[in-house]
Structure formats: structure tokens, C-alpha cells
Amino acid sequence: MISAVAHPNVALIKYWGKSHDALRIPATPSISIPLLALRTETRIEVAPTHDEITISGQPDTSGRIGRWLHCLRGDFELDIPPLAVRSHSNFPLAAGLASSASGFAALTLAINTLLDLDLDTASLSRLARLGSASAARSITTGFVSLDGQASTHDAWRARKALDWEDWPLGVCVAICSHASKAVSSADGMRLSRDTSPAYTAWLEGNRRMYARAARAVAERDFDALSAAARWSFFGMLTVMQTSDPPLRYLNASTFAVIQAIDALREQGVPVFFTCDAGPQVKCIHLPECAELVEARIQAVPGVQEVIRACP
């Protein structure tokens, strides 16, 4: 039996939208940081006759992992035997915490070991991306960029922009709901691409924010990174809200946490927030502010749990 662990990540610069659905090629580049206290552990071994896949003890009824394995065996001609896959995460699934990112990353790493493929990070990230675009960023930790220069499979892969030890920011996650979201990220992205009048402007602006954020990471400029990440989040939120029908992943507690973080910022506390396709709020701050930020968001009504994701 082979066991592998991967962490979900949170994109500071988003990629909401794809240029190629089947190959899961993002429409814009992105930059993420890891959520190190959250983890997915995946164990695999050769199965007798067919794939047997369970997630947190339940059969995978979505068929998503099975389709990904079929793709690797067919289009990419990997000699993968029938697998028994057992995956477990220590955080809510399908709730805006990138469980698919850590899940597909861990499974890719486990298959690489089981089959002695000896793939490098770039190759691993490309395979993981076929399951979930954000999984490409969970193959490694640190500040990770997912970018490419063409709409081809080989061009898009993740690369480490900066080691986490070189700029270890703090991250607190406010859990505002444990419920699974009604609309998947993949379906939401297609809806936004096809119906939102703000989508084209979002793509153009987000590419500019990616360049600014990349410079901010290289220079360890917290204020510049905060500004770029906030623009990317609100740009994505505008696209979601102007989709037809509107995508409403956030709830009242989400907005209450956002107001609390904005109040801290007005007081001079170095902290900013971002959200993904779910109600959870990721609060990024300088390490010395951890207790202050955690205490403030714990006091917000409706927050069910606070996770110090990067101690």
C-alpha cells in the first residue's frame, strides 16, 4: 500500500474560468499559498478487478476520480492497474476549501510512487491538473504559480515562486458553513464564462494582478500582495454575481467576517482576506498578528470554527 499526503491551497490571484474544459486549462494564471494544517491523505493499492474509490469512507458517486484515471490510462497511455483508493481529509469537502486540489494532488503523488514513474514536479502538476486545475498547485508547497503561454496541456504547470520558509505568512480560516456547495466550481466557471458581462474584463484585469502579485511575492511586499489579492477576489465576486443565474457562494457570516477584517485593516493591522467558491474566509496576515486576527474572527456571529491553517 502507498500513502501520500497533500495540502489544499488558497489562490490569492484567482483563475475563475477555463480556456479548455476537458484539459482543465485556466483562462488566467494564478498564485496560491498552502493551508498547511489542512491535509488529505490518500492510500492506494492494486485492486483485484476494477477501481474501488472511497472518499471519507463513502463511495465516490461523482465518478470524477474514475474519469481522471480513465483519461490517464487512455489519452496519456499510463499503465495503471485497477486501484483501491481510500482518501480522507481533515476538513469539510466541497465547501470552498479546495478539497479537490489536495485530493488529486495526493492521488497523483501516490500513483507516481506506486508505478515508479519518477516524474518531476512539472509533470506531476500537469497530471494533477487534469483532475482539478488547482491540484497542480498542491503538488508542492510555498508560493506557487500556475501559468502557461498557450492553451496546450504541456504549457500549463505549477512552479514554486518562493519557498514558504522564506516568507511564512499566517493564515486563519473562518469556517462559516460545513455544508457542501450547491453549484460546483467547474459548473460555476462555465456559467460565468457563458453569461457574465464582466467576464472578459475580469480576465484582462486579473492577468495584470497576477503580474503585480508575482512582483510582490518576490519582494516580500505585503501591502502590494494584499492590494492585488483583494482586486482579484472582488473581480471574481463581480463575475459570480453577474452570472445568469447569479452564483451566491458566500453567506451572511462570510460578509460579517469580511467587515471584521476590514475594520482591523483600518486600525493598521497587516491582514487581508480572500474567499473562493464557498463561504469560508481565508485571512492572511503577518505572523505576529495571529492571535489578534484569530480572536477577532472567532467573535463574529455565525462563524462555526476558526482554523489556524498556517501557524
Side-chain angles (χ1 to χ4, degrees), residues 84 113 135 140-141 179 185 212:
T113 300
T140 186
T141 59
S185 295
R212 293 182 186 180

Side-chain angles (χ1 to χ4, degrees), residues 197-216:
Y199 183 72
T200 300
W202 145 256
L203 295 183
E204 296 172 353
N206 205 52
R207 293 186 186 104
R208 293 194 299 271
M209 291 305 112
Y210 170 79
R212 293 182 186 180
R215 288 195 300 270

Side-chain angles (χ1 to χ4, degrees), residues 208-278:
R208 293 194 299 271
M209 291 305 112
Y210 170 79
R212 293 182 186 180
R215 288 195 300 270
V217 169
E219 297 170 1
R220 280 71 150 181
D221 187 333
F222 186 83
D223 289 341
L225 182 62
S226 170
R230 286 171 60 87
W231 191 100
S232 186
F233 164 70
F234 282 112
M236 180 182 73
L237 183 60
T238 298
V239 169
M240 289 177 171
Q241 292 180 333
T242 55
S243 299
D244 186 15
L247 294 165
R248 296 188 173 96
Y249 291 110
L250 313 185
N251 62 25
S253 297
T254 304
F255 289 107
V257 173
I258 288 173
Q259 290 180 334
I261 295 302
D262 279 343
L264 287 177
R265 284 171 50 83
E266 291 174 1
Q267 297 166 19
V269 178
V271 60
F272 66 92
F273 65 86
T274 191
C275 304
D276 294 300

Side-chain angles (χ1 to χ4, degrees), residues 124-183:
L124 289 168
S125 73
R126 284 191 287 263
L127 291 182
R129 197 201 70 236
L130 294 171
S132 165
S134 56
R137 300 190 305 247
S138 282
I139 288 294
T140 186
T141 59
F143 293 82
V144 179
S145 295
L146 176 60
D147 56 18
Q149 300 303 318
S151 295
T152 61
H153 168 66
D154 289 338
W156 282 82
R157 83 286 183 272
R159 57 183 176 81
K160 184 178 292 190
L162 185 68
D163 285 324
W164 190 245
E165 293 77 10
D166 292 336
W167 198 22
L169 300 178
V171 184
C172 281
V173 180
I175 303 297
C176 297
S177 174
H178 286 83
S180 298
K181 53 195 175 189
V183 180

Side-chain angles (χ1 to χ4, degrees), residues 58-100:
Q58 301 298 319
D60 177 25
T61 56
S62 71
R64 189 170 173 183
I65 293 176
R67 291 191 296 272
W68 178 72
L69 289 172
H70 179 76
C71 175
L72 298 190
R73 289 166 176 145
D75 296 344
F76 293 87
E77 299 181 344
L78 293 181
D79 187 16
I80 302 175
L83 295 178
V85 178
R86 306 288 182 267
S87 181
H88 179 78
S89 300
N90 68 346
F91 58 94
L93 305 182
L97 288 171
S99 56
S100 61

